[in-house]
Amino acid sequence: MAEKHVSLTEDEQHKVSKLPVMDGTLGPSVVDIRSLYAQTGYFTYDPGFTSTASCSSKITFIDGDNGVLLYRGYPIEQLAEKCDFLEVCYLLLNGELPNGAEMKEFVTTISKHVMVHEQLTRFYSGFRRDAHPMAVLVGVVGALSAFYHDGTDVTCREDRYTAAIRLIAKMPNIVAMCHKYSTGMPFIYPKRKLGYAENFMRMMMGDPCDEYIPNPILIRAIDRILILHADHEQNASTSTVRLAGSSGANPYACVAAGIACLWGAAHGGANEAVLNMLEEIGDASNIPEYVAKAKDKNDPFRLMGFGHRVYKNYDPRAKLMRQTCHEVLDELNLHNDRTFKLAMELERIALEDPYFVERKLYPNVDFYSGIVLRALGIPTEMFTAIFALARSVGWIAQWDEMISDPELKIGRPRQLYRGVPQRDVQPISSR
Ligand code: CMC
């Protein structure tokens, strides 16, 4: 195949710079600008990296215009219907779905690592009981680096794989302890024989004085939330993990940086914001007032859980989460609950109102996942921590891919300096 190039012309000297074009297997091709500065003396300017591919990756593909999300080539719809979360973890880490024997071995390996060092549990008591779970999570996951540092050689493939297994295995325990600590309840140890989502729900929602009786529909709902949030290519938190890891830093410290980034309302905090918004609206009779506020350009209010930066037609995860949402509401007989009725009415109005229809502002995955998590009795402030639990596998798979990439370079963006030009320091008496 002939090599493709684009030419850029510089006005003053009419100097032409030829830049190679790189093709992926799917999605737009990219212009390789690595030689641009050497050829022209220019950098590029792209705040928010909206036009820049920061890496090449084989893990996740998104086509926002057509509502496509693929993990390792498999459509999210098929993975959500046919696989459980641990199969998806195996896929993201290894590139292929496991066969029966591989899956059995993977589950056994994960189950060996579900406990945390008892010393790690002491970190929780250093936090106030009313600390936000995401603040606690940043601290405790960061602290894992102190337990697994000398034994983690990031240049060694086996060590990286062990780090990934440890993270996936321990995260349910660590997230559940954030909730237990905030309520003053004792921590509940994991049970090796339980499935991943069931173990997590038991540790988080169980009562040590009672036997935990799982409801398969609700466990499946949690498992689906985990699958749908497992990876989303180079989003802000994943890019944070990659940037932190590009220096060769400890992987758990890098994941803690990703958790910090995820916390923001413009990223993982949206599902919490949906429930807070529903609380604020309070009653269906107030919906027209809030819809009018959302449409008013002079009012900063936006309908939380509507619209998406990448999916401009529909979010394929939202379709699946909507289905799960109705299964859960049916199972728990919650269709008449005030908040859920409010959410469904808001959905109906937004799907019919020309403002939302014309701008293609559909309910996104967080609109429905927030409703599901509330129905399961999970407190609102834990929602983003559950997102972090799900995304951990994506973060660590992307980190592993980056470290094994022969083109790995420490991340070092450039800037357009607009400060004061060079000047001399005057003696303090004459300033
Ligand atoms: N409510 C009301 N109007 C909206 C909303 C909304 N939620 N979202 C976008 N708009 C309007 C916006 O005002 C603009 O109108 P106009 O063309 O008249 O100026 C138009 O729709 C296009 O909006 P945009 O700001 O260009 O869209 P964006 O791609 O920059 O923003 C977004 C995407 C997700 C930040 C935004 O839709 C939003 O703030 N949504 C609410 C927050 C939310 O639910 N976020 C979770 C996203 S999913 C989580 C994840 O995948 O990590």
Side-chain angles (χ1 to χ4, degrees):
M1 204 167 66
E3 250 183 52
K4 285 196 270 177
H5 288 86
V6 289
S7 299
L8 302 179
T9 308
E10 194 198 335
D11 280 349
E12 277 166 25
Q13 297 156 13
H14 304 293
K15 190 172 134 193
V16 174
S17 162
K18 259 187 134 191
L19 296 170
V21 169
M22 296 165 74
D23 297 322
T25 42
L26 292 170
S29 299
V30 301
V31 180
D32 177 354
I33 59 164
R34 281 175 290 185
S35 66
L36 182 70
Y37 181 68
Q39 288 192 48
T40 66
Y42 287 134
F43 291 136
T44 55
Y45 185 63
D46 185 19
F49 307 115
T50 54
S51 302
T52 299
S54 60
C55 61
S56 71
S57 179
K58 295 179 175 165
I59 301 177
T60 293
F61 174 76
I62 301 173
D63 177 346
D65 293 331
N66 294 308
V68 173
L69 169 60
L70 311 176
Y71 293 165
R72 301 281 191 183
Y74 292 110
I76 191 67
E77 293 84 355
Q78 292 182 29
L79 293 167
E81 292 292 342
K82 298 180 180 174
C83 300
D84 70 14
F85 178 64
L86 277 188
E87 278 174 276
V88 170
C89 289
Y90 185 99
L91 172 70
L92 289 170
L93 288 179
N94 298 293
E96 296 296 336
L97 280 169
N99 62 29
E102 287 163 340
M103 189 59 198
K104 203 170 164 209
E105 192 190 330
F106 186 65
V107 170
T108 307
T109 310
I110 291 282
S111 71
K112 279 188 189 144
H113 289 274
V114 289
M115 298 275 288
V116 296
H117 194 297
E118 200 59 23
Q119 197 77 9
L120 192 84
T121 62
R122 315 257 167 86
F123 277 85
Y124 290 86
S125 52
F127 289 96
R128 288 167 54 127
R129 296 262 178 200
D130 62 354
H132 195 285
M134 287 298 279
V136 179
L137 204 55
V138 169
V140 176
V141 172
L144 282 176
S145 60
F147 290 80
Y148 307 108
H149 186 64
D150 293 341
T152 307
D153 173 2
V154 298
T155 63
C156 167
R157 166 90 184 109
E158 285 75 40
D159 279 11
R160 289 203 303 278
Y161 198 72
T162 304
I165 293 288
R166 279 198 192 114
L167 184 75
I168 295 166
K170 294 179 198 312
M171 276 302 278
N173 197 349
I174 291 171
V175 172
M177 285 193 283
C178 289
H179 176 55
K180 285 290 180 234
Y181 181 71
S182 72
T183 57
M185 293 259 285
F187 298 148
I188 297 182
Y189 284 121
K191 266 205 162 99
R192 290 212 164 86
K193 64 173 189 188
L194 297 184
Y196 194 86
E198 183 180 344
N199 216 351
F200 170 58
M201 283 301 276
R202 180 181 158 274
M203 286 188 285
M204 186 169 65
M205 305 305 280
D207 178 330
C209 304
D210 280 327
E211 200 177 331
Y212 179 73
I213 301 166
N215 176 326
I217 291 175
L218 308 187
I219 299 297
R220 180 70 193 143
I222 285 287
D223 198 72
R224 184 168 272 196
I225 288 178
L226 299 182
I227 292 173
L228 299 186
H229 289 87
D231 196 43
H232 215 222
E233 52 119 307
Q234 308 312 320
N235 57 83
S237 59
T238 302
S239 298
T240 300
V241 173
R242 278 188 177 255
L243 193 56
S246 71
S247 69
N250 181 288
Y252 305 102
C254 298
V255 169
I259 294 171
C261 178
L262 185 75
W263 191 359
H267 194 1
N271 53 12
E272 183 175 340
V274 170
L275 261 291
N276 291 338
M277 176 190 74
L278 292 175
E279 289 299 326
E280 189 186 320
I281 296 176
D283 190 81
S285 62
N286 297 327
I287 290 180
E289 182 197 329
Y290 279 86
V291 169
K293 270 162 75 70
K295 293 186 203 172
D296 181 357
K297 291 289 152 232
N298 298 318
D299 191 324
F301 175 78
R302 283 187 162 195
L303 278 191
M304 288 292 118
F306 288 81
H308 197 275
R309 173 54 56 81
V310 180
Y311 297 114
K312 291 303 180 195
N313 272 324
Y314 69 91
D315 177 345
R317 303 167 304 168
K319 256 192 180 172
L320 294 156
M321 210 60 240
R322 184 178 195 277
Q323 188 189 46
T324 300
C325 180
H326 283 281
E327 278 167 23
V328 167
L329 296 188
D330 285 345
E331 176 66 14
L332 298 175
N333 206 10
L334 278 174
H335 278 289
N336 285 325
D337 175 274
R338 194 176 58 103
T339 309
F340 300 127
K341 270 169 78 177
L342 193 61
M344 293 305 126
E345 180 61 5
L346 199 59
E347 179 201 44
R348 189 190 64 76
I349 291 176
L351 289 176
E352 288 173 3
D353 188 307
Y355 174 94
F356 294 92
V357 175
E358 279 159 20
R359 288 169 181 75
K360 299 180 171 168
L361 298 172
Y362 300 102
N364 57 45
V365 65
D366 287 329
F367 180 75
Y368 298 109
S369 68
I371 298 170
V372 170
L373 292 172
R374 183 181 187 272
L376 298 185
I378 297 170
T380 315
E381 61 277 10
M382 282 301 294
F383 290 5
T384 316
I386 293 172
F387 190 162
L389 161 62
R391 186 56 58 84
S392 294
V393 61
W395 288 329
I396 206 77
Q398 297 267 356
W399 167 82
D400 176 54
E401 179 180 65
M402 177 191 67
I403 303 279
S404 50
D405 185 343
E407 292 194 338
L408 167 65
K409 274 189 187 307
I410 183 168
R412 178 59 175 90
R414 307 307 294 238
Q415 65 167 9
L416 176 64
Y417 177 68
R418 282 180 164 153
V420 181
Q422 184 171 336
R423 52 184 166 167
D424 294 321
V425 175
Q426 301 302 318
I428 194 162
S429 54
S430 57
R431 273 180 239 153

